[in-house]
Coordinates of all heavy atoms in Angstrom, one line a residue:
K567 N -7.8 -54.2 -27.0 CA -7.4 -55.6 -27.4 C -6.9 -55.6 -28.8 O -5.9 -56.3 -29.1 CB -8.6 -56.5 -27.2 CG -8.3 -58.0 -27.4 CD -9.5 -58.9 -27.2 CE -9.1 -60.3 -27.5 NZ -8.6 -60.5 -28.9
D568 N -7.6 -54.9 -29.7 CA -7.2 -55.0 -31.1 C -5.8 -54.4 -31.3 O -5.0 -54.8 -32.1 CB -8.1 -54.1 -32.0 CG -9.5 -54.7 -32.0 OD1 -9.7 -55.9 -31.8 OD2 -10.5 -54.0 -32.4
R569 N -5.5 -53.4 -30.5 CA -4.1 -52.7 -30.6 C -3.1 -53.7 -30.3 O -2.0 -53.7 -30.9 CB -4.1 -51.6 -29.6 CG -2.8 -50.8 -29.5 CD -2.8 -49.8 -28.5 NE -3.2 -50.3 -27.2 CZ -3.4 -49.5 -26.1 NH1 -3.4 -48.3 -26.2 NH2 -3.7 -50.1 -25.0
E570 N -3.3 -54.6 -29.4 CA -2.3 -55.7 -29.1 C -2.1 -56.6 -30.3 O -1.1 -57.3 -30.4 CB -2.7 -56.4 -27.8 CG -2.9 -55.5 -26.6 CD -1.6 -54.8 -26.2 OE1 -0.5 -55.4 -26.3 OE2 -1.8 -53.6 -25.9
D571 N -3.1 -56.8 -31.1 CA -3.1 -57.7 -32.2 C -2.6 -57.1 -33.5 O -2.3 -57.9 -34.5 CB -4.4 -58.4 -32.5 CG -4.9 -59.2 -31.3 OD1 -4.1 -59.7 -30.6 OD2 -6.2 -59.3 -31.1
D572 N -2.4 -55.8 -33.6 CA -2.0 -55.1 -34.7 C -0.4 -55.1 -34.8 O 0.3 -55.2 -33.8 CB -2.4 -53.7 -34.8 CG -4.0 -53.5 -35.0 OD1 -4.6 -54.5 -35.3 OD2 -4.5 -52.5 -34.7
N573 N 0.1 -55.3 -36.1 CA 1.5 -55.3 -36.3 C 2.0 -54.2 -37.3 O 1.2 -53.9 -38.2 CB 1.9 -56.7 -36.9 CG 1.7 -57.8 -35.8 OD1 2.5 -58.1 -35.2 ND2 0.4 -58.3 -35.8
L574 N 3.1 -53.7 -37.1 CA 3.8 -52.8 -38.0 C 5.2 -53.1 -38.4 O 6.0 -53.3 -37.4 CB 3.8 -51.4 -37.4 CG 4.6 -50.3 -38.1 CD1 4.0 -50.0 -39.5 CD2 4.6 -49.0 -37.3
L575 N 5.5 -53.5 -39.6 CA 6.8 -53.7 -40.1 C 7.2 -52.6 -40.9 O 6.4 -51.9 -41.6 CB 6.8 -55.0 -41.0 CG 6.5 -56.3 -40.2 CD1 6.3 -57.4 -41.3 CD2 7.5 -56.7 -39.2
F576 N 8.5 -52.3 -41.0 CA 9.0 -51.2 -41.9 C 10.4 -51.4 -42.3 O 11.2 -52.1 -41.7 CB 8.9 -49.8 -41.2 CG 9.8 -49.7 -39.9 CD1 11.1 -49.4 -40.0 CD2 9.3 -50.1 -38.6 CE1 11.9 -49.2 -38.9 CE2 10.1 -50.0 -37.5 CZ 11.4 -49.6 -37.6
S577 N 10.7 -50.7 -43.5 CA 12.1 -50.8 -44.0 C 12.5 -49.4 -44.3 O 11.7 -48.6 -45.0 CB 12.1 -51.6 -45.3 OG 13.3 -51.5 -46.0
L578 N 13.7 -49.0 -43.9 CA 14.2 -47.5 -44.2 C 15.5 -47.7 -44.9 O 16.3 -48.6 -44.6 CB 14.3 -46.8 -42.9 CG 13.2 -46.8 -41.9 CD1 13.5 -45.9 -40.7 CD2 11.9 -46.3 -42.6
E579 N 15.8 -46.8 -45.8 CA 17.1 -46.7 -46.5 C 18.0 -45.8 -45.8 O 19.3 -45.8 -45.9 CB 16.9 -46.3 -47.9 CG 16.3 -47.4 -48.7 CD 16.5 -47.3 -50.3 OE1 17.2 -46.2 -50.6 OE2 16.2 -48.1 -51.0
K580 N 17.5 -44.8 -45.0 CA 18.3 -43.8 -44.4 C 17.8 -43.7 -42.9 O 16.6 -43.9 -42.6 CB 18.2 -42.5 -45.0 CG 18.8 -42.4 -46.4 CD 18.7 -41.0 -47.0 CE 19.2 -40.9 -48.4 NZ 19.1 -39.5 -49.0
Y581 N 18.7 -43.3 -42.0 CA 18.4 -43.2 -40.6 C 18.7 -41.9 -40.1 O 18.7 -41.6 -38.8 CB 19.1 -44.3 -39.8 CG 18.6 -45.7 -40.1 CD1 19.0 -46.4 -41.3 CD2 17.7 -46.3 -39.4 CE1 18.6 -47.6 -41.6 CE2 17.2 -47.5 -39.6 CZ 17.6 -48.2 -40.8 OH 17.2 -49.4 -41.1
D582 N 19.1 -41.0 -40.9 CA 19.5 -39.6 -40.5 C 18.5 -38.9 -39.5 O 18.9 -38.4 -38.5 CB 19.7 -38.6 -41.7 CG 20.8 -39.3 -42.7 OD1 21.0 -40.5 -42.6 OD2 21.3 -38.5 -43.4
S583 N 17.2 -38.9 -39.9 CA 16.2 -38.2 -39.1 C 16.1 -38.9 -37.8 O 15.8 -38.2 -36.7 CB 14.9 -38.1 -39.9 OG 15.1 -37.4 -41.1
L584 N 16.0 -40.3 -37.8 CA 15.9 -41.0 -36.5 C 17.1 -40.8 -35.6 O 16.9 -40.7 -34.4 CB 15.7 -42.4 -36.8 CG 14.3 -42.9 -37.5 CD1 14.3 -44.3 -37.8 CD2 13.2 -42.5 -36.6
I585 N 18.2 -40.6 -36.2 CA 19.5 -40.4 -35.4 C 19.3 -39.1 -34.7 O 19.6 -38.9 -33.5 CB 20.8 -40.5 -36.3 CG1 21.0 -41.9 -36.7 CG2 21.9 -39.9 -35.5 CD1 22.1 -42.0 -37.8
K586 N 19.0 -38.0 -35.5 CA 18.8 -36.6 -35.0 C 17.7 -36.6 -33.8 O 17.9 -35.8 -32.9 CB 18.4 -35.7 -36.0 CG 19.5 -35.4 -37.1 CD 19.0 -34.5 -38.2 CE 20.1 -34.2 -39.2 NZ 19.6 -33.3 -40.3
A587 N 16.8 -37.4 -34.0 CA 15.7 -37.4 -33.0 C 16.0 -38.4 -31.8 O 15.3 -38.5 -30.9 CB 14.4 -37.9 -33.6
G588 N 17.1 -39.1 -31.9 CA 17.5 -40.0 -30.8 C 16.8 -41.3 -30.8 O 16.7 -41.9 -29.8
R589 N 16.2 -41.7 -32.0 CA 15.4 -42.9 -32.0 C 16.4 -44.1 -32.3 O 16.0 -45.3 -32.0 CB 14.3 -42.8 -33.0 CG 13.4 -41.6 -32.9 CD 12.7 -41.6 -31.6 NE 11.8 -40.4 -31.4 CZ 11.4 -39.9 -30.4 NH1 11.8 -40.4 -29.2 NH2 10.7 -38.8 -30.3
V590 N 17.4 -43.8 -33.1 CA 18.3 -44.9 -33.4 C 19.8 -44.4 -33.1 O 20.1 -43.3 -33.4 CB 18.2 -45.3 -34.9 CG1 19.3 -46.4 -35.3 CG2 16.8 -45.8 -35.2

Side-chain angles (χ1 to χ4, degrees):
K567 182 181 182 300
D568 291 340
R569 178 182 58 189
E570 301 302 318
D571 295 332
D572 291 345
N573 292 267
L574 171 63
L575 295 172
F576 64 87
S577 171
L578 312 179
E579 289 199 358
K580 295 180 181 179
Y581 292 81
D582 302 19
S583 301
L584 289 173
I585 291 171
K586 290 179 182 178
R589 309 299 181 204
V590 175

